Amino acid sequence: MSNKNSILSELSKSALDNHAMPDIDVVANNDDLVGQFSASLKTVAGTLHSEGGLVLLQQAVDDLITQNMQVISLMEGIKGNRQVPATAHDLADIDYAVIPGDLGVAENGAIWVNQPSHRVTPFICENLILAISKDNIVANMHQAVKQVSLQQGELGLFISGPSKTADIEQALVVGAHGACSLNVYLY
């Protein structure tokens, strides 16, 4: 028996029995979910646009395009000036990425994104725009995790604000290793 198999065999002998997960009953604050979501998003350096919906979003994208920005849109009904490329490497010069969000969480401003195409898109773009339905905001993560699901091979993640780090001299740096800004449009 190899060392690896010997170690794994010994570990399997000492494994604990499976135990059911505890029931966690958290009372959700369902008052003014959009207001809570807006406040939480602001604390994580994101900006919420709660009026104007997809019309305002398309106007914002059109304004960016007139400023010669490279905008890719994965949101149905929103037209950017770049198509989804064949390889993720061709996303390196994207200024703005518009991506649909599936679910927003009021308690922390996080947005669930189920990404069907290049999974690097929300991280490689300079600025990120997420669009989410007002009806898809829940109070807390306990409710959110019950509503999200992934098929095998899909990428899904919660995005909460733009990229940031505070590990250098305890100073917050936004956009250190990903998107420099996050704008969220409600429709």
Side-chain angles (χ1 to χ4, degrees), residues 38-59:
S38 178
S40 295
L41 192 61
K42 190 174 186 178
T43 64
V44 294
T47 303
L48 181 68
H49 304 270
S50 58
E51 302 298 325
L54 296 179
V55 172
L56 181 64
L57 174 54
Q58 185 62 64
Q59 289 173 355

Side-chain angles (χ1 to χ4, degrees), residues 16-43:
L16 298 175
D17 293 332
N18 287 335
H19 295 282
M21 293 295 291
D23 288 331
I24 300 173
D25 187 24
V26 175
V27 178
N29 178 2
N30 290 310
D31 297 333
D32 187 21
L33 292 177
V34 172
Q36 288 181 59
F37 182 71
S38 178
S40 295
L41 192 61
K42 190 174 186 178
T43 64

